[in-house]
Amino acid sequence: MEIKTVGVVGAGLMGSGIAEVCARSGLRTRVAEAGEEALAAGRRRVERSIERGRQGGKLSDSDAEEITGRLSFSTDLAEMSDCDLVVEAIVERLADKVELFGTLDGILHEDAILASNTSSLPIIEIARVTKRPDRVIGTHFFNPAPVMRLLEVVRTIATSDRTLEETRALGERLGKRVIVAQDRGGFIVNLLLIPFLNSAVRLFESGFATKEDIDEGMKLGCGHPMGPLQLLDYIGLDTALFVCDALYEEYAVRDYAAPPLLKRMVAAGYLGRKSGRGFYEYEGAQRG
Ligand code: NAD
């Protein structure tokens, strides 16, 4: 099956970037959100990013116009009925994703692929509510999706070879380097990344070093583009906490357990860049 029309459900940090990547690659892209306000915010995020590309000379005026023309936005999931593949990028909660997949399963044509951008949830638990578990797969994009070259494709024990190959081909069409992971908590990247981020929080929490020194240490000492605490602010502390909890539940290994400081910061609403405050402050910062 050639994928011509793609749907993206949830136009937050990740969904808006995924939608932009798809539209830039020539695919008709339908974006859905839960409510009008979130939809308008998602649309602004995508349009601002395309405009930045135009102003920065990466996109010509006609490219920008064509990309915008391939995108449509709605709060009505029924408008996804002609999509060949739908990626969900909604909140990281199993119950919400299960409900969404049940609904999408009833809307999409029987050969369509249902993909989840989950960072941590068992995709098979989302797949089993559908009548097409062989057509359900994980497509784990990285933030910001238009910039980051990696796509982790995650196959469950029920995903068919055909679904894997069609999804891999789509990822390559989007200009991504595709790596394939099993449907186990953390896939490849988070399994390695989360213990590192948690160690940095524990180091900071214990008073061992300042946040600036921890971040500079990893940037200048290891060539990381940003330090671990900066990266946590970038990911969103609430998202990181969800991932820690899911990995700890999966493996019961202390390295994955969320440090108390991370939990308290999320409780305080210090979610990182998106809320204007995390380990650092972002004056006047706007998401995306
Ligand atoms: P976000 O909070 O920025 O966006 C989620 C969006 O989904 C919101 O705009 C919300 O209104 C919308 N939404 C919630 N329920 C919905 C529903 N039922 N129907 C339609 N829209 C709905 O979150 P995010 O950071 O973009 O994360 C989205 C997903 O991507 C999560 O599963 C997360 O684990 C995963 N992910 C996040 C990152 C990251 O760095 N933030 C990276 C990779 C994967």
Side-chain angles (χ1 to χ4, degrees):
M1 179 185 68
E2 199 202 333
I3 294 170
K4 292 190 184 132
T5 304
V6 168
V8 180
V9 184
L13 205 57
M14 293 306 296
S16 55
I18 296 168
E20 181 187 336
V21 171
C22 293
R24 275 185 183 224
S25 306
L27 295 157
R28 263 196 311 274
T29 307
R30 306 200 182 288
V31 183
E33 254 291 350
E36 291 297 342
E37 211 173 296
L39 185 72
R43 181 177 202 143
R44 273 197 303 277
R45 227 175 345 260
V46 180
E47 289 176 351
R48 268 205 311 266
S49 176
I50 295 170
E51 182 53 24
R52 274 196 301 274
R54 197 184 64 79
Q55 283 177 1
K58 286 193 182 141
L59 296 173
S60 68
D61 290 356
S62 66
D63 285 343
E65 204 172 304
E66 277 174 30
I67 294 166
T68 308
R70 283 186 208 110
L71 286 154
S72 60
F73 294 81
S74 173
T75 53
D76 185 4
L77 284 178
E79 298 206 2
M80 302 243 153
S81 61
D82 63 347
C83 290
D84 304 307
L85 179 146
V86 173
V87 186
E88 73 73 19
I90 69 168
V91 61
E92 185 78 339
R93 264 197 298 270
L94 185 61
D96 295 41
K97 294 192 193 274
V98 162
E99 188 186 338
L100 175 65
F101 269 47
T103 308
L104 287 171
D105 192 39
I107 290 171
L108 299 178
H109 62 79
E110 62 180 19
D111 208 28
I113 297 174
L114 274 166
S116 172
N117 191 51
T118 180
S119 303
S120 61
L121 300 169
I123 295 165
I124 190 65
E125 287 194 38
I126 309 172
R128 61 185 275 211
V129 301
T130 72
K131 288 187 226 64
R132 61 181 95 194
D134 58 312
R135 298 297 274 163
V136 176
I137 196 159
T139 48
H140 188 226
F141 288 83
F142 288 74
N143 182 30
V147 176
M148 297 295 279
R149 278 212 55 222
L150 186 66
L151 175 63
E152 269 184 312
V153 168
V154 184
R155 75 178 305 174
T156 76
I157 49 175
T159 305
S160 68
D161 290 345
R162 183 166 78 97
T163 302
L164 176 64
E165 289 319 317
E166 287 172 356
T167 308
R168 186 203 296 275
L170 176 73
E172 286 166 0
R173 174 167 177 184
L174 300 181
K176 303 300 180 197
R177 168 70 166 89
V178 175
I179 61 175
V180 179
Q182 299 294 323
D183 181 26
R184 304 281 186 279
F187 314 136
I188 295 171
V189 174
N190 278 335
L191 206 56
L192 296 170
L193 179 64
I194 290 290
F196 165 59
L197 297 181
N198 282 348
S199 299
V201 177
R202 288 193 195 101
L203 213 59
F204 174 56
E205 188 173 21
S206 72
F208 185 86
T210 64
K211 58 187 178 221
E212 290 83 3
D213 284 359
I214 293 169
D215 282 335
E216 287 300 298
M218 296 313 292
K219 277 166 71 180
L220 302 181
C222 294
H224 290 193
M226 60 175 92
L229 303 176
Q230 292 168 324
L231 181 55
L232 276 164
D233 277 359
Y234 197 77
I235 293 169
L237 271 54
D238 50 344
T239 302
L241 179 57
F242 270 129
V243 178
C244 289
D245 288 349
L247 291 187
Y248 188 68
E249 195 184 319
E250 178 98 322
Y251 301 106
V253 169
R254 180 188 176 275
D255 292 353
Y256 301 119
L261 178 63
L262 182 66
K263 295 192 226 173
R264 296 301 181 274
M265 289 178 74
V266 171
Y270 302 165
L271 307 181
R273 294 174 73 103
K274 64 183 171 187
S275 71
R277 178 169 181 176
F279 289 97
Y280 297 90
E281 288 190 26
Y282 304 88
E283 206 141 313
Q286 281 285 312
R287 309 185 34 159

